[in-house]
Amino acid sequence: MRRILLSLTILAATGAAGAWFVLRPEPLPADALAGLEADAVRGEQVFWAGGCAACHSAEKAEGADRLVLKGGRRFPSPFGTFVAPNISNDPAAGIGTWTALGLANAMLRGVSPEGRHYYPVFPYASYARATLQDVVDLRAFLATLPADPSPSAPHEVAFPYNIRLGLGLWKRLHLDDGWVVAGDLNQAETRGRYLVEALGHCGECHTPRGGLGAMDRNRWLAGAPIPGGKSRFPNLTPAKLTWSEADIVAFLTTGFTPDYDSVGGAMAEVVDGLSHLAPSDRAAIAAYLKRVVPAE
Amino acid sequence: MKTFLLTITAATILITGVATAQDAPFAREIKVRQGIMGYRTMNVAILGAMAKGEVDYNAEQAQKAADNLLTAASIDMSMLWPEGSDDFANPDTRALAKIWEGGSDVGAKAQALVDAATAMQAAAGIDLASLQGALKGVGDACTACHEAYRASAN
């Protein structure tokens, strides 16, 4: 009897250890950033390309307020409502004490400094493709931004999605840092792919999601419903987006559609962010979009 | 008899519906202000086509479009925006009631368009790069007001 009990205990322990092994957060190696020098000026470009302000500034923030990353915006989803945290430079309420490695673990691995999984509403499924150099530069730029003491609000997520360890399984299934658009790309298209698939995380809105909320790589940028809204994030593949490259560049630069209506909804803030990039970057995005596989 | 009554009812609903559409509140104001908006768009389109390279830059035409844009942006429209002429009163408009609510900065946003159009008027006739530089300001002014005070298109 004792032997059976012992066997069962060992089995349970092995199972728990196995589960932990599968579900555990996997940060980068401690020396992952060795030799990388930070450049805050380049980091500002990463900041605008990455759209940090579009989620982490206050709702409807304009002008200088877009640089106060106090959090608080709410994101409804089928799994609950997520609330953007404070990532300002405040050492307690924000991420003022974070190292570049901490930011890299958050953005590329979805792992917090305490070793917990983040929900993929934080677009690490896209940022996973970012270069470590960009993260190091971004860290340096974020350190130049204002501190704000507003505390982060908890996410409003119910069982079973409130068990963060389960996200380890989600990551095993869906975290894939490979490029979606493959094949021979020229220099501009390659840069565009980086901006769209990695930093710009365009797919997070414009790609339809499966049952567990992962982006469907087979219907990449094919459009998706707006959570909590009536309309859809438009299809950006050549099957539907028939704008010329010049039209796309003009839209991303001035916010004017080819009919000279103005950009609407969440995209207005995206255009505002992209307006800080070099003209060649907006042209690169347009060039890339023409290479996406058409999907209805 | 039943069918007859049903037909009458259907016809009544139809006629009432048509009558409502004709007599929709603020129909005239909405039509006129949409016309002014369309004239602004028409002139922005001339500038935009040059900025994109769809048509060759022409200083004279660019200047004319910029002059027209500023004129159309500066018209006194107070008669066209009576309180309540919103998308709830008449679905032909996407104007939100927020325009007339306390704390509304619609006047400042309209002035921002005048400022952007003034900058465009100064820039459009110089050269293509100046025109392109000024177009973003115009776009920002359009977007800012539409995002704050226009219902999203569905």
Side-chain angles (χ1 to χ4, degrees), chain B residues 27-50:
Chain B
R28 204 164 156 205
E29 287 87 349
I30 289 167
K31 204 167 183 179
V32 174
R33 68 200 192 197
Q34 286 175 346
I36 292 172
M37 202 66 85
Y39 188 59
R40 294 172 182 171
T41 307
M42 193 174 144
N43 285 289
V44 170
I46 291 167
L47 299 164
M50 290 185 200

Side-chain angles (χ1 to χ4, degrees), chain A residues 5-21:
Chain A
L5 268 180
L6 192 68
S7 308
L8 279 177
T9 310
I10 291 170
L11 201 66
T14 317
W20 169 250
F21 185 77

